[in-house]
Amino acid sequence: QVQLVASGGGVVQPGESLRLSCEAFRLTFSYYGMQWVRQAPGRGLEWVASIGYDESNIRYGESVRGRFTISRDNSKNTVHLQMSSLRPDDTAVYYCAQGPSRSDFWSGYRNWGQGALVTVSP
Amino acid sequence: DIQMTQSPSSLSASVGDRVTITCRASQGITNSLGWYQMKPGKAPERLIYGSSTLENGVPSRFSGSGSGTEFTLTISSLQPEDFATYFCLQQHRYPHTFGQGTKLE
């Protein structure tokens, strides 16, 4: 059973930075892209960022572009989300999710992590 | 961006009921839609992908249908463990977008 374990959440002040990590277990990590998705309190889900299996095809949602950076370390089966210039409206549970592989589009979003809570508050 | 309109936002039902949840896309997304179940404190679980393909291990009481702009998730006979929040997700085009969710209670 694939497991995605997110870490790095916490409470920060506006303008500060935070790095989330998501480690994959029982997954041939280097075959798959990875995604970050968030859910603000009382709101729906919002796609945040994605990265291809080979670090190509990096994309960002409009609300985080220029402030967040997605990266991956295939040697550690880990994807990161570096968040800078954080704002109160970035407060959310952040989920990592499996992306598609080279050969299987439908593997995208098959597995999700349990989420990491980020709170941005003065 | 492709807007996903999900309805209803909440649904009261009982064990054994048949329930249907709908997602409408603001433009055609072929069959690039999945349905997910979400419970507090747990990772979301994919139930359906490709609009109608049941994920391995998901009970057959769950089914999905639709193509283009209108999609449905049906639970044929609600079980106690099915009371959760459900959402749809379109992967047709970036930015991937989600329905607002349906809370089944």
Side-chain angles (χ1 to χ4, degrees):
Chain A
Q1 192 90 354
V2 171
Q3 190 177 14
L4 302 176
V5 179
S7 61
V11 181
V12 296
Q13 296 192 339
E16 293 186 340
S17 298
L18 199 62
R19 188 173 87 154
L20 301 180
S21 299
C22 173
E23 186 175 5
F25 297 88
R26 295 175 292 281
L27 177 72
T28 308
F29 184 75
S30 61
Y31 282 14
Y32 296 95
M34 294 297 292
Q35 315 270 7
W36 285 98
V37 172
R38 69 183 181 183
Q39 185 172 33
R43 304 197 64 177
L45 291 151
E46 177 189 13
W47 169 78
V48 173
S50 69
I51 186 168
Y53 64 91
D54 59 356
E55 300 186 63
S56 64
N57 296 318
I58 290 176
R59 295 181 173 92
Y60 298 98
E62 188 173 352
S63 61
V64 306
R65 192 174 298 129
R67 300 187 299 122
F68 289 13
T69 302
I70 189 171
S71 62
R72 64 188 296 153
D73 183 344
N74 285 348
S75 69
K76 296 182 179 178
N77 291 353
T78 300
V79 61
H80 302 289
L81 186 69
Q82 177 68 46
M83 304 182 292
S84 303
S85 303
L86 281 162
R87 311 187 300 220
D89 63 357
D90 294 316
T91 295
V93 175
Y94 286 74
Y95 297 96
C96 55
Q98 181 181 341
S101 73
R102 290 176 257 196
S103 57
D104 183 7
F105 172 81
W106 296 116
S107 62
Y109 298 100
R110 173 174 292 147
N111 295 292
W112 296 60
Q114 85 287 1
L117 177 60
V118 173
T119 302
V120 185
S121 178
Chain B
D1 298 359
I2 298 173
Q3 308 302 319
M4 301 301 299
T5 303
Q6 185 173 340
S7 61
S9 56
S10 64
L11 181 57
S12 292
S14 301
V15 172
D17 284 354
R18 178 185 180 91
V19 301
T20 298
I21 300 168
T22 298
C23 267
R24 289 188 174 87
S26 61
Q27 57 187 271
I29 59 170
T30 64
N31 68 335
S32 301
L33 183 115
W35 289 99
Y36 297 78
Q37 182 189 70
M38 203 163 175
K39 293 182 177 179
K42 295 187 68 177
E45 179 185 356
R46 188 167 74 174
L47 306 172
I48 302 282
Y49 64 93
S51 171
S52 60
T53 302
L54 196 66
E55 190 68 58
N56 285 343
V58 173
S60 59
R61 62 181 179 272
F62 292 92
S63 64
S65 65
S67 183
T69 61
E70 188 149 342
F71 302 86
T72 59
L73 171 71
T74 299
I75 310 172
S76 60
S77 178
L78 270 176
Q79 298 302 301
E81 61 268 28
D82 299 337
F83 290 91
T85 297
Y86 295 85
F87 64 88
C88 62
L89 161 64
Q90 70 81 14
Q91 297 172 243
H92 182 69
R93 183 173 300 140
Y94 281 100
H96 295 165
T97 47
F98 297 81
Q100 285 299 302
T102 296
K103 187 172 184 180
L104 196 49
E105 49 196 2

mmCIF file of all heavy atoms in Angstrom, chain B residues 12-37:
data_model
loop_
_atom_site.group_PDB
_atom_site.id
_atom_site.type_symbol
_atom_site.label_atom_id
_atom_site.label_comp_id
_atom_site.label_asym_id
_atom_site.label_seq_id
_atom_site.Cartn_x
_atom_site.Cartn_y
_atom_site.Cartn_z
ATOM 1 N N SER B 12 -28.843 14.684 3.221
ATOM 2 C CA SER B 12 -29.252 13.820 4.322
ATOM 3 C C SER B 12 -29.795 12.517 3.756
ATOM 4 O O SER B 12 -30.653 12.530 2.873
ATOM 5 C CB SER B 12 -30.321 14.506 5.160
ATOM 6 O OG SER B 12 -29.783 15.623 5.837
ATOM 7 N N ALA B 13 -29.262 11.427 4.257
ATOM 8 C CA ALA B 13 -29.678 10.126 3.740
ATOM 9 C C ALA B 13 -29.593 9.091 4.853
ATOM 10 O O ALA B 13 -29.055 9.371 5.937
ATOM 11 C CB ALA B 13 -28.794 9.723 2.558
ATOM 12 N N SER B 14 -30.100 7.936 4.576
ATOM 13 C CA SER B 14 -30.108 6.857 5.557
ATOM 14 C C SER B 14 -29.435 5.625 4.985
ATOM 15 O O SER B 14 -29.332 5.476 3.754
ATOM 16 C CB SER B 14 -31.550 6.514 5.949
ATOM 17 O OG SER B 14 -32.200 7.634 6.496
ATOM 18 N N VAL B 15 -29.023 4.748 5.874
ATOM 19 C CA VAL B 15 -28.430 3.485 5.432
ATOM 20 C C VAL B 15 -29.412 2.769 4.507
ATOM 21 O O VAL B 15 -30.609 2.707 4.791
ATOM 22 C CB VAL B 15 -28.077 2.610 6.649
ATOM 23 C CG1 VAL B 15 -27.652 1.218 6.206
ATOM 24 C CG2 VAL B 15 -26.961 3.255 7.464
ATOM 25 N N GLY B 16 -28.885 2.300 3.399
ATOM 26 C CA GLY B 16 -29.707 1.615 2.406
ATOM 27 C C GLY B 16 -30.198 2.500 1.278
ATOM 28 O O GLY B 16 -30.652 1.992 0.252
ATOM 29 N N ASP B 17 -30.119 3.818 1.458
ATOM 30 C CA ASP B 17 -30.580 4.743 0.415
ATOM 31 C C ASP B 17 -29.665 4.691 -0.802
ATOM 32 O O ASP B 17 -28.483 4.381 -0.709
ATOM 33 C CB ASP B 17 -30.605 6.179 0.932
ATOM 34 C CG ASP B 17 -31.789 6.461 1.843
ATOM 35 O OD1 ASP B 17 -32.663 5.569 1.989
ATOM 36 O OD2 ASP B 17 -31.842 7.575 2.408
ATOM 37 N N ARG B 18 -30.242 5.064 -1.933
ATOM 38 C CA ARG B 18 -29.471 5.296 -3.156
ATOM 39 C C ARG B 18 -29.268 6.798 -3.279
ATOM 40 O O ARG B 18 -30.235 7.553 -3.161
ATOM 41 C CB ARG B 18 -30.243 4.773 -4.365
ATOM 42 C CG ARG B 18 -29.570 4.983 -5.700
ATOM 43 C CD ARG B 18 -30.498 4.521 -6.826
ATOM 44 N NE ARG B 18 -29.921 4.689 -8.143
ATOM 45 C CZ ARG B 18 -29.214 3.756 -8.767
ATOM 46 N NH1 ARG B 18 -28.986 2.587 -8.173
ATOM 47 N NH2 ARG B 18 -28.735 3.969 -9.975
ATOM 48 N N VAL B 19 -28.033 7.221 -3.461
ATOM 49 C CA VAL B 19 -27.755 8.656 -3.553
ATOM 50 C C VAL B 19 -26.964 8.948 -4.824
ATOM 51 O O VAL B 19 -26.175 8.113 -5.289
ATOM 52 C CB VAL B 19 -27.008 9.193 -2.315
ATOM 53 C CG1 VAL B 19 -27.811 8.957 -1.055
ATOM 54 C CG2 VAL B 19 -25.633 8.591 -2.206
ATOM 55 N N THR B 20 -27.190 10.153 -5.343
ATOM 56 C CA THR B 20 -26.505 10.590 -6.553
ATOM 57 C C THR B 20 -25.959 11.991 -6.337
ATOM 58 O O THR B 20 -26.653 12.866 -5.827
ATOM 59 C CB THR B 20 -27.466 10.587 -7.761
ATOM 60 O OG1 THR B 20 -27.926 9.253 -7.981
ATOM 61 C CG2 THR B 20 -26.745 11.081 -9.008
ATOM 62 N N ILE B 21 -24.720 12.176 -6.704
ATOM 63 C CA ILE B 21 -24.037 13.460 -6.622
ATOM 64 C C ILE B 21 -23.611 13.838 -8.037
ATOM 65 O O ILE B 21 -23.174 12.977 -8.814
ATOM 66 C CB ILE B 21 -22.817 13.371 -5.687
ATOM 67 C CG1 ILE B 21 -23.256 12.971 -4.267
ATOM 68 C CG2 ILE B 21 -22.050 14.685 -5.660
ATOM 69 C CD1 ILE B 21 -22.114 12.582 -3.348
ATOM 70 N N THR B 22 -23.732 15.113 -8.355
ATOM 71 C CA THR B 22 -23.464 15.570 -9.716
ATOM 72 C C THR B 22 -22.367 16.611 -9.754
ATOM 73 O O THR B 22 -22.272 17.459 -8.852
ATOM 74 C CB THR B 22 -24.744 16.179 -10.316
ATOM 75 O OG1 THR B 22 -25.749 15.167 -10.375
ATOM 76 C CG2 THR B 22 -24.493 16.729 -11.702
ATOM 77 N N CYS B 23 -21.532 16.530 -10.759
ATOM 78 C CA CYS B 23 -20.549 17.581 -11.060
ATOM 79 C C CYS B 23 -20.742 18.016 -12.498
ATOM 80 O O CYS B 23 -20.842 17.169 -13.404
ATOM 81 C CB CYS B 23 -19.119 17.099 -10.846
ATOM 82 S SG CYS B 23 -18.460 17.441 -9.216
ATOM 83 N N ARG B 24 -20.785 19.317 -12.686
ATOM 84 C CA ARG B 24 -20.865 19.886 -14.025
ATOM 85 C C ARG B 24 -19.627 20.726 -14.285
ATOM 86 O O ARG B 24 -19.242 21.549 -13.458
ATOM 87 C CB ARG B 24 -22.120 20.755 -14.180
ATOM 88 C CG ARG B 24 -23.399 19.966 -14.218
ATOM 89 C CD ARG B 24 -24.607 20.849 -14.558
ATOM 90 N NE ARG B 24 -25.817 20.046 -14.738
ATOM 91 C CZ ARG B 24 -26.634 19.695 -13.761
ATOM 92 N NH1 ARG B 24 -26.372 20.069 -12.523
ATOM 93 N NH2 ARG B 24 -27.704 18.974 -14.014
ATOM 94 N N ALA B 25 -19.031 20.510 -15.441
ATOM 95 C CA ALA B 25 -17.839 21.259 -15.835
ATOM 96 C C ALA B 25 -18.243 22.427 -16.728
ATOM 97 O O ALA B 25 -19.175 22.313 -17.533
ATOM 98 C CB ALA B 25 -16.870 20.350 -16.573
ATOM 99 N N SER B 26 -17.537 23.534 -16.591
ATOM 100 C CA SER B 26 -17.865 24.729 -17.376
ATOM 101 C C SER B 26 -17.488 24.582 -18.853
ATOM 102 O O SER B 26 -17.919 25.374 -19.692
ATOM 103 C CB SER B 26 -17.176 25.953 -16.777
ATOM 104 O OG SER B 26 -15.769 25.789 -16.797
ATOM 105 N N GLN B 27 -16.690 23.591 -19.152
ATOM 106 C CA GLN B 27 -16.379 23.245 -20.539
ATOM 107 C C GLN B 27 -16.081 21.750 -20.600
ATOM 108 O O GLN B 27 -15.867 21.112 -19.559
ATOM 109 C CB GLN B 27 -15.204 24.065 -21.074
ATOM 110 C CG GLN B 27 -13.934 23.948 -20.276
ATOM 111 C CD GLN B 27 -12.865 24.930 -20.761
ATOM 112 O OE1 GLN B 27 -12.085 24.601 -21.645
ATOM 113 N NE2 GLN B 27 -12.829 26.110 -20.166
ATOM 114 N N GLY B 28 -16.054 21.207 -21.778
ATOM 115 C CA GLY B 28 -15.877 19.773 -21.927
ATOM 116 C C GLY B 28 -14.532 19.285 -21.408
ATOM 117 O O GLY B 28 -13.499 19.891 -21.682
ATOM 118 N N ILE B 29 -14.578 18.192 -20.650
ATOM 119 C CA ILE B 29 -13.357 17.622 -20.093
ATOM 120 C C ILE B 29 -13.228 16.139 -20.458
ATOM 121 O O ILE B 29 -12.536 15.380 -19.775
ATOM 122 C CB ILE B 29 -13.292 17.804 -18.548
ATOM 123 C CG1 ILE B 29 -14.491 17.134 -17.855
ATOM 124 C CG2 ILE B 29 -13.224 19.285 -18.182
ATOM 125 C CD1 ILE B 29 -14.343 17.064 -16.331
ATOM 126 N N THR B 30 -13.875 15.747 -21.532
ATOM 127 C CA THR B 30 -13.939 14.332 -21.960
ATOM 128 C C THR B 30 -14.313 13.483 -20.749
ATOM 129 O O THR B 30 -15.366 13.692 -20.153
ATOM 130 C CB THR B 30 -12.625 13.880 -22.613
ATOM 131 O OG1 THR B 30 -11.550 13.935 -21.661
ATOM 132 C CG2 THR B 30 -12.277 14.749 -23.810
ATOM 133 N N ASN B 31 -13.467 12.521 -20.374
ATOM 134 C CA ASN B 31 -13.764 11.695 -19.195
ATOM 135 C C ASN B 31 -12.722 11.885 -18.095
ATOM 136 O O ASN B 31 -12.533 11.008 -17.245
ATOM 137 C CB ASN B 31 -13.836 10.218 -19.589
ATOM 138 C CG ASN B 31 -12.481 9.664 -19.993
ATOM 139 O OD1 ASN B 31 -11.608 10.417 -20.412
ATOM 140 N ND2 ASN B 31 -12.291 8.365 -19.870
ATOM 141 N N SER B 32 -12.074 13.026 -18.097
ATOM 142 C CA SER B 32 -10.954 13.256 -17.175
ATOM 143 C C SER B 32 -11.421 13.699 -15.795
ATOM 144 O O SER B 32 -11.065 14.784 -15.301
ATOM 145 C CB SER B 32 -9.998 14.299 -17.772
ATOM 146 O OG SER B 32 -9.504 13.853 -19.007
ATOM 147 N N LEU B 33 -12.235 12.879 -15.190
ATOM 148 C CA LEU B 33 -12.827 13.230 -13.904
ATOM 149 C C LEU B 33 -12.718 12.079 -12.921
ATOM 150 O O LEU B 33 -12.950 10.922 -13.281
ATOM 151 C CB LEU B 33 -14.299 13.606 -14.096
ATOM 152 C CG LEU B 33 -14.951 14.063 -12.784
ATOM 153 C CD1 LEU B 33 -15.360 15.521 -12.840
ATOM 154 C CD2 LEU B 33 -16.108 13.171 -12.402
ATOM 155 N N GLY B 34 -12.406 12.441 -11.681
ATOM 156 C CA GLY B 34 -12.375 11.444 -10.619
ATOM 157 C C GLY B 34 -13.277 11.857 -9.474
ATOM 158 O O GLY B 34 -13.617 13.033 -9.314
ATOM 159 N N TRP B 35 -13.681 10.848 -8.701
ATOM 160 C CA TRP B 35 -14.484 11.072 -7.503
ATOM 161 C C TRP B 35 -13.710 10.577 -6.292
ATOM 162 O O TRP B 35 -13.077 9.514 -6.324
ATOM 163 C CB TRP B 35 -15.813 10.319 -7.597
ATOM 164 C CG TRP B 35 -16.772 10.881 -8.593
ATOM 165 C CD1 TRP B 35 -16.999 10.442 -9.869
ATOM 166 C CD2 TRP B 35 -17.658 11.986 -8.384
ATOM 167 N NE1 TRP B 35 -17.961 11.211 -10.478
ATOM 168 C CE2 TRP B 35 -18.384 12.156 -9.578
ATOM 169 C CE3 TRP B 35 -17.915 12.839 -7.312
ATOM 170 C CZ2 TRP B 35 -19.354 13.162 -9.736
ATOM 171 C CZ3 TRP B 35 -18.867 13.824 -7.466
ATOM 172 C CH2 TRP B 35 -19.580 13.979 -8.664
ATOM 173 N N TYR B 36 -13.797 11.334 -5.218
ATOM 174 C CA TYR B 36 -13.005 11.064 -4.027
ATOM 175 C C TYR B 36 -13.879 11.123 -2.792
ATOM 176 O O TYR B 36 -14.857 11.896 -2.742
ATOM 177 C CB TYR B 36 -11.879 12.094 -3.896
ATOM 178 C CG TYR B 36 -10.901 12.025 -5.047
ATOM 179 C CD1 TYR B 36 -11.220 12.588 -6.283
ATOM 180 C CD2 TYR B 36 -9.683 11.375 -4.918
ATOM 181 C CE1 TYR B 36 -10.349 12.505 -7.350
ATOM 182 C CE2 TYR B 36 -8.798 11.292 -5.976
ATOM 183 C CZ TYR B 36 -9.145 11.855 -7.189
ATOM 184 O OH TYR B 36 -8.277 11.774 -8.253
ATOM 185 N N GLN B 37 -13.485 10.348 -1.802
ATOM 186 C CA GLN B 37 -14.124 10.363 -0.492
ATOM 187 C C GLN B 37 -13.135 10.943 0.506
ATOM 188 O O GLN B 37 -11.951 10.594 0.495
ATOM 189 C CB GLN B 37 -14.505 8.942 -0.077
ATOM 190 C CG GLN B 37 -15.215 8.844 1.257
ATOM 191 C CD GLN B 37 -15.358 7.396 1.711
ATOM 192 O OE1 GLN B 37 -14.371 6.742 2.076
ATOM 193 N NE2 GLN B 37 -16.574 6.887 1.689
#
